[in-house]
């Protein structure tokens, strides 16, 4: 009556005539008899034909973890945090789905953690390699894994049901109330995992897979843990553990190169360490040279488990045709990462289809997505992708054309947001299936340049390498203002050197004049005096050959900035102003007016020529709403005010200039104006404010790599401290 089980069923159990009772009936009887957990285990074992718990040892199936183990402290902590808080009733099943690329160390991590926590699972640990990505077999049928678990739990073969679903039910019943750990390694997908999940609420399951297993996370509340590459320090520790610190220290530079080339990939590092260990006479520097020349060849082996190309090929083999094509296209994209819009143009798909295929590649752990929504492929995976998926020349060429056009047109639009008064350049229309990104304002443009900077540099190099010389110099043009505002002086020089080489290969004198002039300007910013003169004289000579007054004026305007002799600079500025007058180029004329005023001020003419020309320039800039020109001219007026004793006016003009530079997100000019602003503050006796603005200027200079300027400001701060000490001491 208490159990609800029939008399005949109970009699059959007692007499042994009923040899395959329903476990539900056994549980009903156990509940009616108010059995303790250990008694329930004995009853279940008897009912299923398994020996009593005393006769069958708890399974201990964990393989030995690969050694040595280094790092992964954050991942280990997260796995620890996922464990139930206690071992009693009410603990919940934990499914930690560890995902990551092949060879990144998922099993290594899972087994290390499992051995470290084995004592928390007194009823045993079960392990199965599901062979989701195996070089010599298909993924394991989950029914095979269930049968292996039943054998490990001591169930007699004759007591195991024939139907797979009944075997799975029996497995769930046997482990439902046990404190056990299940490690399900190398899973292919969620469908392979689901039949292996235990019933009850006391087991812990750890799953590793190259796929993200979204069904396991969504449907079963799994804790997802992505396993990334090792840090440089962890990679060095791994090599040292395998090869010894003496050998590592003896070739520190070669070790640094090996760490860089392996990119934190544990399998790659282990292969390198294995070669070095088995060939102790081999110099690590020689191994680094081999790896640099032919990484995939060095990391290949006849043993698939010790071959990075073989490991990656298993993930590649599981891709659909579309995914494999996109995988190959991403490998040729310029730069270290790619945004969704650029990827859409590269691939030639709509935004939604691009997002979908990228998500599937991410779930396969062949690419990763960061918090900003940008996609990245490990360098070794990229090398593999370029060889694994052979792209026909037409496909490769069309994809590069689309992505380079995307970068050029989007950067061109961003550059005009930064300075709408720049002299225009003519772009070819976007190619089909290329969709340049729309940007709304200056902050959006600067953010886009920040995110895409390295990709734009790579895009220019790619364009030049493929003889797309027009695209090459135009990309340099688009980057000019961003580089200037952020103080990327060395990058500025690099892009204009490439641009000059590209322009010289084109029958376009205008492009040649422009690139030589801006190359000279890039040399000016780095203090390369003679190189600047050579480039600017070349631009001037070319412009004179073309009899183009505007181009001659631009060359003279830039030449003014390179002469330490203020009189030579003023001569070039006046020549530029004379040429601009009558050309109907008011912004260029205003720039020349400001230049004449500035160089006159440097020569000591603070009240006549200097102020007159700068005020005229400011009026033109204000009329035409050129914010950058206004900021530069206000800075000039601040300098003139300070040196003519009008310190309050100087503070006001400098402050207005800084405010406009902030609006323009121009940290380069902000640093210079802050530096100059400190001097009228000192003249007015406001040392606290001077100290504040100089510290800000110093920090900006340091961020921009302008060490000489930073040291000069530091000396100014030292003098302030010295003056304060002198006053306090007196």
């Amino acid at each position: 009556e208490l159990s609800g089980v029939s008399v005949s069923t109970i009699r059959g159990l007692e007499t042994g005539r009923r040899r395959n009772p329903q476990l539900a009936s056994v549980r009903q009887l156990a509940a009616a008899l108010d059995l303790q957990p250990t008694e329930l285990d004995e009853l279940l074992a008897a009912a299923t034909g398994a020996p009593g718990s005393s006769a069958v040892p708890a399974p201990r199936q964990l393989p030995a973890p690969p050694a040595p183990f280094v790092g992964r402290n954050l991942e280990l902590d997260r796995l620890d945090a996922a464990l139930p808080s206690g071992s009693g009733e009410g603990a919940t099943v934990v499914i930690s789905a560890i995902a990551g690329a092949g060879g990144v160390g998922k099993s290594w991590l899972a087994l290390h953690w499992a051995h470290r926590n084995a004592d928390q699972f007194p009823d045993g640990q079960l392990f199965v390699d599901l062979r989701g990505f195996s070089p010599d077999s298909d993924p394991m049928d989950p029914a095979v894994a269930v049968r292996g678990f039943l054998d490990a739990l001591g169930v007699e073969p004759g007591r195991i049901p024939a139907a797979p679903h009944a075997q799975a039910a029996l497995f769930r019943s046997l482990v439902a109330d046990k404190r056990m750990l299940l490690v399900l390694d190398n899973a292919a997908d969620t469908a392979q995992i689901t039949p292996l999940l235990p019933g009850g609420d006391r087991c812990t399951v750890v799953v590793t897979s190259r796929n993200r297993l979204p069904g396991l996370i969504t449907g079963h509340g799994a804790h997802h843990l992505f396993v990334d590459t090792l840090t440089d320090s962890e990679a060095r520790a791994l090599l040292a553990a395998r090869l010894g610190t003496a050998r590592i220290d003896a070739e520190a530079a070669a070790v640094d190169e090996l760490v860089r080339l392996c990119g934190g990939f544990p399998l790659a590092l282990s292969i390198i360490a294995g070669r070095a260990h088995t060939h102790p006479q081999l110099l690590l520097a020689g191994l680094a040279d081999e790896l640099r020349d032919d990484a995939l060849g060095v990391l290949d082996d006849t043993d698939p488990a010790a071959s990075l190309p073989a490991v990656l090929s298993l993930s590649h083999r599981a891709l659909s045709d579309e995914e494999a094509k996109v995988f190959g296209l991403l490998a040729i994209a310029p730069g270290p990462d790619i945004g969704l819009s650029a990827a859409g143009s590269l691939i030639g798909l709509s935004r939604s289809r691009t997002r979908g295929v990228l998500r599937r590649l991410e779930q396969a752990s062949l690419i990763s997505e960061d918090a900003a929504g940008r996609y990245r492929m490990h360098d070794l995976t990229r090398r593999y992708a370029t060889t694994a998926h052979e792209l026909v020349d037409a496909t490769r060429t069309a994809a590069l054309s689309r992505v380079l056009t995307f970068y050029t047109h989007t950067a061109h639009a961003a550059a005009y947001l930064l300075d709408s008064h720049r002299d225009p350049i003519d772009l070819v229309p976007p190619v089909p299936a290329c969709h340049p990104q729309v940007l709304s304002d200056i902050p959006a443009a600067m953010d886009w340049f920040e995110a895409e900077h390295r990709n734009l540099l790579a895009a220019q190099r790619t364009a030049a390498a493929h003889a797309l010389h027009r695209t090459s110099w135009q990309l340099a043009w688009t980057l000019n203002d961003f580089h200037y505002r952020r103080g990327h002086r060395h990058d500025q020089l690099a892009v204009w050197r490439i641009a000059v080489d590209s322009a010289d290969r084109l029958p376009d004198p205008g492009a040649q004049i422009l690139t030589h002039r801006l190359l000279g300007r890039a040399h000016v910013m780095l203090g390369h005096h003679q190189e600047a003169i050579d480039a600017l004289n070349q631009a001037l000579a070319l412009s004179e050959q073309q009899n183009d007054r505007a181009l001659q004026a631009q060359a003279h305007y830039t030449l003014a900035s390179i002469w330490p002799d203020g009189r030579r600079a003023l001569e070039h500025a006046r020549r530029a102003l004379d040429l601009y007058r009558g050309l109907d180029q008011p912004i260029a004329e205003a720039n020349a007016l400001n230049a004449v005023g500035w160089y006159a001020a440097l020569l000591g003419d603070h009240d006549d020529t200097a102020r007159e020309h700068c005020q005229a320039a400011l009026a033109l800039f204000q009329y035409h709403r050129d914010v950058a020109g206004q900021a530069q001219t206000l800075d000039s007026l601040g300098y003139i005010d300070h040196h003519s004793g009008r310190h309050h006016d100087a503070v006001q003009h400098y402050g207005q200039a800084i405010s406009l530079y902030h609006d323009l997100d121009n940290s380069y000019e902000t640093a210079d104006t802050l530096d100059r602003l400190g001097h009228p503050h000192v003249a007015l006796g406001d040392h606290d404010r001077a100290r504040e603005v100089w510290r800000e200027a110093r920090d900006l200079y340091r961020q921009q790599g302008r060490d000489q300027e930073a040291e000069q400001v530091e000396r100014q701060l030292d003098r302030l401290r010295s003056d304060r000490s002198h006053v306090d001491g007196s």
Side-chain angles (χ1 to χ4, degrees):
E1 279 185 70
L2 288 172
S3 68
V5 179
S6 69
V7 172
S8 61
T9 297
I10 295 174
R11 182 181 295 115
L13 291 173
E14 291 177 333
T15 60
R17 289 194 303 272
R18 191 176 183 90
R19 296 184 177 276
N20 292 299
Q22 294 292 324
L23 289 178
S25 299
V26 178
R27 288 188 175 279
Q28 288 174 265
L29 287 168
L33 295 168
D34 196 22
L35 298 183
Q36 298 298 314
T38 55
E39 295 171 324
L40 175 61
D41 288 346
E42 293 175 8
L43 180 60
L44 287 172
T48 59
S53 58
S54 60
V56 179
R60 300 284 187 265
Q61 291 190 327
L62 294 177
F69 185 87
V70 299
R72 303 295 194 200
N73 294 324
L74 178 61
E75 291 88 345
L76 292 170
D77 289 344
R78 289 185 61 187
L79 285 171
D80 287 342
L83 274 176
S85 57
S87 59
E89 294 296 332
T92 57
V93 64
V94 174
I95 306 168
S96 289
I98 302 175
V104 83
K106 301 179 298 295
S107 301
W108 188 44
L109 169 65
L111 287 173
H112 180 81
W113 179 87
H115 279 281
R116 195 172 76 166
N117 291 277
D119 60 346
Q120 298 196 46
F121 306 100
D123 294 324
Q125 305 94 42
L126 297 172
F127 175 89
V128 63
D129 179 0
L130 294 171
R131 306 181 71 78
F133 299 87
S134 173
D136 53 10
S137 68
D138 293 330
M140 180 184 290
D141 189 321
V144 175
V146 169
R147 176 57 193 265
F149 286 161
L150 292 176
D151 291 339
L153 292 168
V155 181
E156 292 181 1
R159 300 297 186 183
I160 296 177
H165 73 273
Q167 293 180 10
L170 175 58
F171 164 67
R172 289 194 295 271
S173 300
L174 291 176
V175 301
D177 296 304
K178 292 184 182 296
R179 187 88 169 121
M180 297 189 73
L181 171 65
L182 281 71
V183 178
L184 311 178
D185 190 36
N186 198 16
D189 51 35
T190 301
Q192 193 184 26
I193 294 296
T194 303
L196 307 180
L197 299 180
D201 58 5
R202 302 184 67 201
C203 289
T204 292
V205 183
V206 174
V207 182
T208 74
S209 177
R210 298 187 192 184
N211 290 326
R212 297 295 177 95
L213 305 178
L216 195 65
I217 297 166
T218 302
H220 298 275
H223 301 262
H224 179 250
L225 176 62
F226 178 70
V227 181
D228 207 344
T229 52
L230 298 173
T231 65
D232 287 354
S233 60
E234 290 170 343
R236 289 188 186 89
L238 177 60
L239 291 176
R242 291 289 304 275
L243 302 177
T245 55
R247 191 170 181 185
I248 296 299
D249 293 343
E251 292 191 73
V255 170
D256 289 343
E257 182 71 354
L258 288 172
V259 166
R260 184 187 68 80
L261 293 169
C262 289
F265 232 104
L267 178 58
L269 290 161
S270 296
I271 293 171
I272 291 298
R275 282 198 59 188
H277 181 75
T278 55
H279 298 85
Q281 78 284 356
L282 181 65
L283 289 176
L284 299 183
L287 198 52
D289 290 340
E290 290 184 45
L291 192 61
R292 191 185 307 106
D293 294 338
D294 183 17
L296 295 181
V298 173
L299 298 173
D300 199 1
D301 195 273
T302 54
D303 180 359
S307 169
L308 183 63
V311 168
L312 292 173
S313 72
L314 300 176
S315 295
H316 182 257
R317 190 173 64 185
L319 300 178
S320 68
D321 290 343
E322 181 181 61
E323 291 161 358
K325 178 182 176 182
V326 171
F327 180 56
L329 288 174
L330 289 173
I332 66 171
D337 61 9
I338 194 167
L340 180 61
S341 296
S345 290
L346 171 77
I347 299 165
L349 297 177
S350 68
R351 189 176 181 87
S352 60
R353 285 190 63 188
T354 299
R355 183 185 287 109
V357 72
L358 292 177
R359 183 180 296 117
R360 294 194 295 275
L361 289 175
E362 183 201 12
Q363 290 171 357
S365 297
L366 289 171
I367 62 175
S368 61
E369 181 184 9
D370 64 18
R374 301 188 64 79
Y375 298 89
R376 180 181 298 271
M377 183 183 290
H378 191 281
D379 287 346
L380 292 175
T381 306
R382 183 187 289 259
R383 288 199 187 193
Y384 171 77
T386 57
T387 59
H389 191 87
E390 292 290 339
L391 297 170
V392 298
D393 289 344
T395 299
R396 181 190 301 270
T397 300
L400 280 177
S401 176
R402 287 192 302 268
V403 75
L404 292 176
T405 301
F406 167 86
Y407 282 128
T408 305
H409 276 263
T410 308
H412 181 264
Y416 265 113
L417 284 170
L418 300 187
D419 184 0
S420 61
H421 298 283
R422 290 186 70 177
D423 291 335
I425 59 173
D426 294 326
L427 301 182
V428 296
V431 295
C434 170
H435 305 287
Q437 191 168 338
V438 177
L439 303 170
S440 57
D441 51 24
I442 289 175
M446 291 297 287
D447 288 344
W448 187 83
F449 273 125
E450 291 280 8
E452 300 287 1
H453 184 214
R454 288 182 295 173
N455 296 329
L456 291 166
L457 297 178
Q460 190 204 23
R461 293 193 296 270
T462 300
H466 287 80
L468 301 172
H469 298 303
R470 181 187 179 96
T471 298
S472 171
W473 78 257
Q474 288 183 339
L475 279 168
W477 184 95
T478 68
L479 281 162
N480 194 69
D481 279 353
F482 169 73
H483 279 163
Y484 183 62
R485 294 187 186 191
R486 281 291 179 268
H488 294 310
R489 298 175 298 163
H490 294 282
D491 288 331
Q492 184 85 302
L493 179 61
V495 299
W496 283 116
R497 278 176 166 162
I498 295 173
V500 162
D501 183 70
S502 289
D504 284 348
R505 297 170 187 267
L506 296 171
D508 185 349
Q512 295 166 11
I513 294 166
L514 182 150
T515 55
H516 279 283
R517 179 174 64 82
L518 291 175
L519 172 64
R521 178 63 179 157
H523 279 300
V524 169
M525 292 179 66
L526 285 166
H528 301 164
H529 185 70
Q530 188 56 52
E531 293 89 340
I533 292 174
D534 293 342
L536 290 168
N537 281 335
Q538 179 71 8
L540 182 58
L542 287 169
S543 64
E544 288 172 345
Q545 289 174 15
Q546 297 299 312
N547 196 27
D548 190 315
R549 286 171 56 88
L551 293 175
Q552 293 174 45
Q554 291 173 355
H556 281 291
Y557 175 77
T558 308
L559 274 165
S561 64
I562 69 174
W563 293 103
D565 175 3
R567 297 191 182 281
R568 295 283 297 276
L570 183 57
E571 289 172 7
H572 282 291
R574 288 188 183 280
R575 181 63 178 145
L577 180 58
D578 290 341
L579 288 165
Y580 277 129
R581 282 178 168 153
L583 289 178
D584 193 24
Q585 294 187 15
I587 299 303
E589 183 178 340
N591 278 322
L593 282 166
N594 182 47
V596 170
W598 172 254
Y599 293 117
L602 292 180
L603 291 171
D605 183 356
H606 302 129
D607 287 313
D608 295 325
T609 303
R611 192 181 306 278
E612 174 188 341
H613 281 74
C614 288
Q615 287 175 339
L618 183 60
L620 271 175
F621 284 132
Q622 289 173 335
Y623 180 80
H624 292 280
R625 298 181 180 180
D626 186 315
V627 178
Q630 292 176 50
Q632 291 175 346
T633 309
L634 287 165
D635 176 83
S636 299
L637 287 169
Y639 181 88
I640 295 166
D641 289 333
H642 170 58
H643 286 276
S644 59
R646 302 179 184 183
H647 304 304
H648 287 289
D649 291 340
V651 169
Q652 182 179 4
H653 280 133
Y654 281 141
Q656 291 172 340
I658 290 169
S659 178
L660 293 178
Y661 283 136
H662 284 163
D663 292 341
L664 295 167
D665 204 359
N666 187 337
S667 58
Y668 187 88
E669 294 283 10
T670 298
D672 289 337
T673 305
L674 284 167
D675 183 6
R676 288 191 274 271
L677 174 57
H679 296 287
H681 279 308
V682 171
L684 292 169
D686 191 351
H687 288 198
D688 289 340
R689 183 63 181 140
R691 186 178 297 106
E692 181 181 342
V693 298
W694 276 343
R695 284 173 176 168
E696 188 177 352
R698 177 198 60 193
D699 293 343
L700 284 173
Y701 281 143
R702 287 175 176 171
Q703 291 171 19
Q704 297 163 11
R706 300 166 69 183
D707 296 334
Q708 290 183 343
E709 291 91 336
E711 291 171 5
Q712 174 61 36
V713 174
E714 192 64 59
R715 287 193 289 271
Q716 292 164 187
L717 287 166
D718 287 341
R719 285 195 292 272
L720 274 186
R721 285 189 286 268
S722 177
D723 291 345
R724 170 60 68 90
S725 299
H726 178 73
V727 170
D728 292 344
S730 63

